Amino acid sequence: MSMKIKPFHTKLNEVILKIASSELGEDEDRRQEVIEIIRQWMAKQPHLQRISLDEYSIVCFARGCKYSLEKMKHKIDLQYTLRTALPEFFSGRDPLKPRLQEALACGSYLPLQDYDQHGRKVIVMRPGCFDPCQFKPEDLEKANFMVVDIMGREDEQMFVTGIVIIVDCHGYTLNHFTQRPLALSKKQLYYLQSAPISPKTIHFIRTNSVFHSVYGMVMNMLKDKIKQRVKIHGSDFQSLYKEIDRKILPKDYGGDGMSFAELTDCWKKKVEDNREFLIASEKNFRVDESRRPGKSKSAQDLFGIEGSFRKLNVD
């Protein structure tokens, strides 16, 4: 299957390109080489042939996998296999649907506008910012994954410098925990840990008694490498400021950045502006399991029975 693919032109500045060169061994020739190798490989995989993977996306995978071709092939296959097996997150992606409009208006997943002092993308996750009795968790995660997709399309730098996550537990209650099926959380974390990049650090802030009750369960869902990157600050913002430059943080945290309300409006509009891409992604990023060489992979193969998940072996 031939595809007309736009040529890849990096938008990174010289500083970030030097980081890519020194840490990833990247240069223009290597970028083009890996693009061609992955294109040829995908053309020979019957189950992947309808996936529209452009040069930009291939380079993002390459950077996230430090240019390991075998790791890239594994992650590309796994990423789109999971998207196909998780319709609760990746089907019905019209951001103008009323339920998704409401979910986007919550602002439970907010990438910040500026980078931290290490050039990393900072993302604030707010699992307690909504009424758990008014929202289906599937709708919230569907909205959040739309933000993730648009962020990835817009932000080339984070695939070189990495991401940092702040999990703000303010407002998180027992209802938030009980209204969300454990299997859904496991699927969400399984998918996120299959992504091209993993967080450099995860900072939990404004934690409360409910958080501490479920903390062990959350940790059990994370790979060992990710567990080692977790830091708990409680309500000590001075501790957080030591890790992330205060001036880029939202005004709600005493920073100089956009407020939660402003960030929510900004990302809601970005998602709406990319409506056509998101709707098209339902068919453009699907694996055809009927054509997979060998045994096809069902949701049960991936996730087991009753949420008993297989362990991810990807670093």
Side-chain angles (χ1 to χ4, degrees):
M1 177 181 175
S2 62
M3 292 186 296
K4 188 176 181 180
I5 301 178
K6 293 180 181 179
F8 174 75
H9 298 290
T10 181
K11 296 179 181 178
L12 297 179
N13 61 42
E14 288 301 317
V15 173
I16 305 302
L17 283 173
K18 283 182 180 178
I19 295 173
S21 175
S22 63
E23 297 187 5
L24 306 177
E26 178 182 310
D27 57 32
E28 188 172 347
D29 289 341
R30 194 171 189 192
R31 283 199 301 266
Q32 291 308 131
E33 179 185 25
V34 80
I35 287 167
E36 190 58 35
I37 291 171
I38 293 299
R39 273 183 179 171
Q40 292 177 9
W41 170 74
M42 290 189 71
K44 295 175 183 176
Q45 310 304 310
H47 62 302
L48 300 180
Q49 287 178 358
R50 68 183 182 188
I51 292 176
S52 302
L53 203 61
D54 59 16
E55 293 192 341
Y56 171 81
S57 300
I58 294 173
V59 171
C60 289
F61 272 102
R63 289 166 171 161
C65 297
K66 297 184 177 179
Y67 280 84
S68 164
L69 285 170
E70 290 310 306
K71 190 178 290 187
M72 281 183 70
K73 292 174 183 178
H74 184 81
K75 281 212 170 189
I76 288 170
D77 195 329
L78 179 60
Q79 178 88 170
Y80 296 108
T81 297
L82 289 173
R83 290 179 80 105
T84 307
L86 293 170
E88 55 266 69
F89 297 149
F90 298 107
S91 291
R93 307 185 91 202
D94 183 350
L96 297 186
K97 287 182 178 179
R99 289 187 312 184
L100 295 180
Q101 282 278 294
E102 293 171 2
L104 288 165
C106 286
S108 62
Y109 188 97
L110 298 174
L112 304 189
Q113 297 297 294
D114 297 312
Y115 302 101
D116 73 359
Q117 63 272 33
H118 304 294
R120 302 172 301 188
K121 189 74 173 177
V122 180
I123 300 157
V124 177
M125 299 174 68
R126 302 193 296 155
C129 73
F130 56 90
D131 182 345
C133 298
Q134 297 297 317
F135 289 91
K136 291 178 62 177
E138 293 86 352
D139 290 334
L140 284 161
E141 293 309 331
K142 189 176 294 187
N144 292 345
F145 278 122
M146 289 194 289
V147 173
V148 171
D149 278 4
I150 303 311
M151 175 181 65
R153 277 165 58 85
E154 290 188 348
D155 201 308
E156 185 182 347
Q157 179 172 319
M158 71 179 187
F159 292 95
V160 175
T161 55
I163 61 173
V164 173
I165 295 175
I166 299 172
V167 183
D168 184 349
C169 299
H170 179 70
Y172 187 74
T173 66
L174 190 59
N175 276 341
H176 287 93
F177 177 70
T178 58
Q179 293 290 330
R180 182 185 178 90
L182 183 58
L184 189 79
S185 295
K186 288 183 175 181
K187 288 177 180 179
Q188 176 206 22
L189 289 173
Y190 194 98
Y191 176 81
L192 288 173
Q193 292 178 97
S194 79
I197 54 174
S198 57
K200 300 291 187 181
T201 52
I202 303 175
H203 302 274
F204 286 93
I205 65 170
R206 300 207 277 191
T207 53
N208 56 27
S209 58
V210 176
F211 162 79
H212 291 291
S213 297
V214 304
Y215 175 74
M217 192 177 301
V218 172
M219 288 299 102
N220 284 337
M221 299 182 205
L222 298 178
K223 294 185 291 183
D224 290 340
K225 185 173 77 171
I226 302 299
K227 290 177 187 177
Q228 295 167 9
R229 300 175 182 179
V230 169
K231 299 183 179 182
I232 301 176
H233 301 276
S235 297
D236 184 358
F237 277 92
Q238 295 301 321
S239 174
L240 180 66
Y241 299 155
K242 292 176 183 177
E243 301 286 341
I244 300 173
D245 191 349
R246 178 175 181 169
K247 68 182 180 183
I248 75 155
L249 292 172
K251 295 180 179 69
D252 311 74
Y253 295 159
D256 298 327
M258 293 172 70
S259 67
F260 289 155
E262 292 169 326
L263 285 165
T264 299
D265 289 344
C266 174
W267 280 104
K268 184 171 180 289
K269 185 177 187 307
K270 281 179 185 282
V271 169
E272 291 166 355
D273 289 346
N274 284 274
R275 177 177 182 245
E276 191 174 312
F277 162 78
L278 290 164
I279 292 173
S281 71
E282 292 189 42
K283 63 177 181 179
N284 292 342
F285 298 139
R286 289 288 187 271
V287 169
D288 185 350
E289 288 296 342
S290 68
R291 303 187 66 197
R292 181 187 291 274
K295 186 180 182 297
S296 63
K297 293 184 179 180
S298 66
Q300 183 172 318
D301 294 325
L302 293 164
F303 308 125
I305 301 170
E306 297 296 326
S308 175
F309 289 71
R310 299 186 185 282
K311 185 175 176 61
L312 270 176
N313 292 316
V314 183
D315 289 330

